[in-house]
Short mmCIF file of all heavy atoms in Angstrom, two decimals:
data_model
loop_
_atom_site.label_atom_id
_atom_site.label_comp_id
_atom_site.label_asym_id
_atom_site.label_seq_id
_atom_site.Cartn_x
_atom_site.Cartn_y
_atom_site.Cartn_z
N SER B 70 64.89 79.73 24.05
CA SER B 70 65.19 78.69 23.08
C SER B 70 64.36 78.91 21.82
O SER B 70 63.18 79.27 21.92
CB SER B 70 64.87 77.34 23.72
OG SER B 70 65.13 76.30 22.85
N TYR B 71 64.96 78.73 20.66
CA TYR B 71 64.22 78.89 19.41
C TYR B 71 64.83 77.98 18.35
O TYR B 71 65.96 77.52 18.48
CB TYR B 71 64.22 80.35 18.94
CG TYR B 71 65.60 80.96 18.89
CD1 TYR B 71 66.37 80.88 17.73
CD2 TYR B 71 66.15 81.59 19.99
CE1 TYR B 71 67.64 81.43 17.68
CE2 TYR B 71 67.42 82.14 19.95
CZ TYR B 71 68.16 82.05 18.79
OH TYR B 71 69.42 82.58 18.75
N ASN B 72 64.05 77.70 17.30
CA ASN B 72 64.51 76.85 16.21
C ASN B 72 64.57 77.67 14.93
O ASN B 72 63.69 78.50 14.68
CB ASN B 72 63.57 75.66 16.02
CG ASN B 72 63.56 74.76 17.23
OD1 ASN B 72 64.56 74.61 17.91
ND2 ASN B 72 62.42 74.17 17.52
N ILE B 73 65.59 77.40 14.13
CA ILE B 73 65.82 78.11 12.88
C ILE B 73 65.88 77.08 11.75
O ILE B 73 66.62 76.10 11.86
CB ILE B 73 67.16 78.87 12.91
CG1 ILE B 73 67.27 79.73 14.15
CG2 ILE B 73 67.37 79.68 11.65
CD1 ILE B 73 68.68 80.15 14.48
N PRO B 74 65.14 77.28 10.66
CA PRO B 74 65.25 76.34 9.53
C PRO B 74 66.65 76.41 8.91
O PRO B 74 67.24 77.48 8.78
CB PRO B 74 64.20 76.84 8.53
CG PRO B 74 63.32 77.75 9.29
CD PRO B 74 64.12 78.29 10.44
N VAL B 75 67.18 75.25 8.56
CA VAL B 75 68.49 75.18 7.90
C VAL B 75 68.34 75.71 6.48
O VAL B 75 67.36 75.42 5.80
CB VAL B 75 69.02 73.73 7.90
CG1 VAL B 75 70.26 73.59 7.06
CG2 VAL B 75 69.27 73.25 9.32
N ASN B 76 69.32 76.48 6.03
CA ASN B 76 69.30 77.01 4.67
C ASN B 76 70.62 76.70 3.98
O ASN B 76 71.66 77.11 4.50
CB ASN B 76 69.04 78.50 4.70
CG ASN B 76 68.79 79.09 3.34
OD1 ASN B 76 68.54 78.37 2.38
ND2 ASN B 76 68.87 80.40 3.27
N PRO B 77 70.65 75.96 2.91
CA PRO B 77 69.53 75.38 2.19
C PRO B 77 68.99 74.15 2.93
O PRO B 77 69.75 73.42 3.56
CB PRO B 77 70.10 74.98 0.83
CG PRO B 77 71.54 74.71 1.11
CD PRO B 77 71.92 75.65 2.24
N ALA B 78 67.69 73.95 2.83
CA ALA B 78 67.03 72.87 3.57
C ALA B 78 67.36 71.50 3.00
O ALA B 78 67.36 70.51 3.71
CB ALA B 78 65.53 73.08 3.59
N SER B 79 67.61 71.43 1.70
CA SER B 79 67.88 70.13 1.09
C SER B 79 69.01 70.22 0.08
O SER B 79 69.36 71.30 -0.39
CB SER B 79 66.61 69.58 0.41
OG SER B 79 66.21 70.44 -0.63
N LEU B 80 69.57 69.07 -0.20
CA LEU B 80 70.63 68.92 -1.19
C LEU B 80 70.14 67.94 -2.25
O LEU B 80 69.31 67.08 -1.98
CB LEU B 80 71.90 68.37 -0.53
CG LEU B 80 72.42 69.16 0.67
CD1 LEU B 80 73.53 68.38 1.35
CD2 LEU B 80 72.91 70.52 0.23
N THR B 81 70.68 68.06 -3.44
CA THR B 81 70.29 67.15 -4.52
C THR B 81 71.29 66.00 -4.56
O THR B 81 72.50 66.21 -4.50
CB THR B 81 70.28 67.89 -5.86
OG1 THR B 81 69.42 69.02 -5.74
CG2 THR B 81 69.78 67.01 -6.98
N ALA B 82 70.78 64.79 -4.65
CA ALA B 82 71.62 63.59 -4.71
C ALA B 82 71.15 62.70 -5.86
O ALA B 82 69.96 62.66 -6.18
CB ALA B 82 71.55 62.82 -3.40
N TYR B 83 72.10 62.00 -6.46
CA TYR B 83 71.77 61.09 -7.55
C TYR B 83 71.35 59.76 -6.95
O TYR B 83 72.12 59.10 -6.27
CB TYR B 83 72.98 60.91 -8.48
CG TYR B 83 72.68 60.05 -9.67
CD1 TYR B 83 71.85 60.50 -10.69
CD2 TYR B 83 73.24 58.78 -9.79
CE1 TYR B 83 71.58 59.72 -11.79
CE2 TYR B 83 72.97 57.99 -10.89
CZ TYR B 83 72.13 58.47 -11.88
OH TYR B 83 71.87 57.68 -12.97
N SER B 84 70.11 59.37 -7.20
CA SER B 84 69.57 58.10 -6.70
C SER B 84 68.46 57.64 -7.64
O SER B 84 67.27 57.78 -7.34
CB SER B 84 69.04 58.28 -5.28
OG SER B 84 68.57 57.07 -4.78
N PRO B 85 68.85 57.10 -8.80
CA PRO B 85 67.84 56.78 -9.82
C PRO B 85 66.83 55.71 -9.40
O PRO B 85 65.73 55.66 -9.95
CB PRO B 85 68.68 56.30 -11.00
CG PRO B 85 69.99 55.90 -10.43
CD PRO B 85 70.19 56.75 -9.20
N ASP B 86 67.14 54.88 -8.40
CA ASP B 86 66.22 53.84 -7.96
C ASP B 86 65.20 54.33 -6.94
O ASP B 86 64.25 53.62 -6.61
CB ASP B 86 67.00 52.66 -7.36
CG ASP B 86 67.86 51.97 -8.41
OD1 ASP B 86 67.51 52.03 -9.61
OD2 ASP B 86 68.90 51.39 -8.03
N ASP B 87 65.38 55.53 -6.43
CA ASP B 87 64.44 56.08 -5.45
C ASP B 87 63.12 56.41 -6.13
O ASP B 87 63.11 56.98 -7.22
CB ASP B 87 65.05 57.35 -4.83
CG ASP B 87 64.31 57.81 -3.61
OD1 ASP B 87 63.11 58.14 -3.73
OD2 ASP B 87 64.92 57.86 -2.54
N PRO B 88 61.99 56.06 -5.52
CA PRO B 88 60.68 56.36 -6.13
C PRO B 88 60.43 57.85 -6.32
O PRO B 88 59.60 58.25 -7.12
CB PRO B 88 59.66 55.76 -5.18
CG PRO B 88 60.40 55.22 -4.03
CD PRO B 88 61.86 55.33 -4.27
N MET B 89 61.16 58.69 -5.58
CA MET B 89 60.97 60.14 -5.68
C MET B 89 61.90 60.77 -6.71
O MET B 89 61.88 61.98 -6.90
CB MET B 89 61.19 60.80 -4.31
CG MET B 89 60.21 60.35 -3.24
SD MET B 89 58.48 60.42 -3.72
CE MET B 89 58.27 62.13 -4.07
N ALA B 90 62.73 59.97 -7.39
CA ALA B 90 63.70 60.51 -8.35
C ALA B 90 62.99 61.15 -9.52
O ALA B 90 61.96 60.67 -10.00
CB ALA B 90 64.63 59.40 -8.82
N ASN B 91 63.59 62.24 -10.00
CA ASN B 91 63.03 62.89 -11.19
C ASN B 91 63.53 62.14 -12.43
O ASN B 91 64.17 61.08 -12.33
CB ASN B 91 63.39 64.37 -11.22
CG ASN B 91 64.89 64.63 -11.37
OD1 ASN B 91 65.69 63.71 -11.56
ND2 ASN B 91 65.27 65.89 -11.29
N GLU B 92 63.23 62.68 -13.61
CA GLU B 92 63.59 62.01 -14.86
C GLU B 92 65.10 61.79 -15.00
O GLU B 92 65.54 60.83 -15.64
CB GLU B 92 63.09 62.83 -16.07
CG GLU B 92 61.61 63.02 -16.12
CD GLU B 92 61.13 64.16 -15.22
OE1 GLU B 92 61.87 65.13 -14.97
OE2 GLU B 92 59.99 64.06 -14.73
N GLU B 93 65.90 62.66 -14.42
CA GLU B 93 67.37 62.53 -14.50
C GLU B 93 67.92 61.63 -13.39
O GLU B 93 69.12 61.37 -13.34
CB GLU B 93 68.04 63.90 -14.40
CG GLU B 93 67.82 64.79 -15.62
CD GLU B 93 66.54 65.61 -15.47
OE1 GLU B 93 66.16 65.93 -14.32
OE2 GLU B 93 65.91 65.90 -16.50
N GLY B 94 67.08 61.19 -12.45
CA GLY B 94 67.52 60.30 -11.38
C GLY B 94 67.93 61.00 -10.10
O GLY B 94 68.55 60.40 -9.23
N TYR B 95 67.59 62.28 -9.94
CA TYR B 95 67.98 63.04 -8.76
C TYR B 95 66.82 63.14 -7.76
O TYR B 95 65.66 63.21 -8.14
CB TYR B 95 68.44 64.44 -9.14
CG TYR B 95 69.77 64.43 -9.85
CD1 TYR B 95 69.84 64.43 -11.24
CD2 TYR B 95 70.96 64.40 -9.12
CE1 TYR B 95 71.05 64.41 -11.89
CE2 TYR B 95 72.18 64.38 -9.77
CZ TYR B 95 72.22 64.39 -11.16
OH TYR B 95 73.43 64.36 -11.79
N VAL B 96 67.17 63.16 -6.50
CA VAL B 96 66.22 63.38 -5.42
C VAL B 96 66.74 64.48 -4.51
O VAL B 96 67.93 64.80 -4.53
CB VAL B 96 65.99 62.10 -4.57
CG1 VAL B 96 65.33 61.01 -5.38
CG2 VAL B 96 67.27 61.61 -3.95
N ALA B 97 65.85 65.04 -3.73
CA ALA B 97 66.25 66.02 -2.72
C ALA B 97 66.34 65.28 -1.38
O ALA B 97 65.44 64.53 -1.02
CB ALA B 97 65.24 67.14 -2.64
N ILE B 98 67.44 65.49 -0.67
CA ILE B 98 67.61 64.92 0.66
C ILE B 98 67.83 66.07 1.65
O ILE B 98 68.40 67.09 1.29
CB ILE B 98 68.78 63.91 0.73
CG1 ILE B 98 70.10 64.57 0.30
CG2 ILE B 98 68.50 62.68 -0.11
CD1 ILE B 98 71.33 63.73 0.57
N PRO B 99 67.37 65.91 2.89
CA PRO B 99 67.57 66.98 3.87
C PRO B 99 69.05 67.28 4.10
O PRO B 99 69.89 66.38 4.07
CB PRO B 99 66.92 66.43 5.14
CG PRO B 99 65.94 65.42 4.65
CD PRO B 99 66.57 64.82 3.42
N ASN B 100 69.36 68.54 4.30
CA ASN B 100 70.73 68.99 4.54
C ASN B 100 71.08 68.74 6.01
O ASN B 100 71.10 69.65 6.83
CB ASN B 100 70.83 70.48 4.19
CG ASN B 100 72.24 70.98 4.24
OD1 ASN B 100 73.19 70.23 4.42
ND2 ASN B 100 72.39 72.28 4.07
N VAL B 101 71.32 67.47 6.33
CA VAL B 101 71.59 67.05 7.70
C VAL B 101 72.90 66.27 7.73
O VAL B 101 73.12 65.38 6.91
CB VAL B 101 70.45 66.14 8.24
CG1 VAL B 101 70.80 65.56 9.60
CG2 VAL B 101 69.14 66.92 8.31
N ASN B 102 73.76 66.61 8.67
CA ASN B 102 74.99 65.86 8.90
C ASN B 102 74.79 65.09 10.21
O ASN B 102 74.74 65.69 11.29
CB ASN B 102 76.18 66.81 9.00
CG ASN B 102 77.49 66.08 9.19
OD1 ASN B 102 77.55 65.01 9.79
ND2 ASN B 102 78.56 66.67 8.67
N ASP B 103 74.68 63.77 10.10
CA ASP B 103 74.40 62.95 11.28
C ASP B 103 75.45 63.12 12.37
O ASP B 103 75.12 63.09 13.56
CB ASP B 103 74.28 61.47 10.90
CG ASP B 103 73.03 61.18 10.09
OD1 ASP B 103 72.10 62.00 10.10
OD2 ASP B 103 72.98 60.12 9.44
#
Side-chain angles (χ1 to χ4, degrees):
S70 180
Y71 52 90
N72 297 327
I73 308 162
V75 171
N76 189 15
S79 62
L80 305 171
T81 305
Y83 183 70
S84 182
D86 296 333
D87 193 299
M89 298 310 300
N91 65 6
E92 300 81 29
E93 291 88 30
Y95 289 95
V96 294
I98 58 170
N100 187 6
V101 173
N102 182 328
D103 290 342

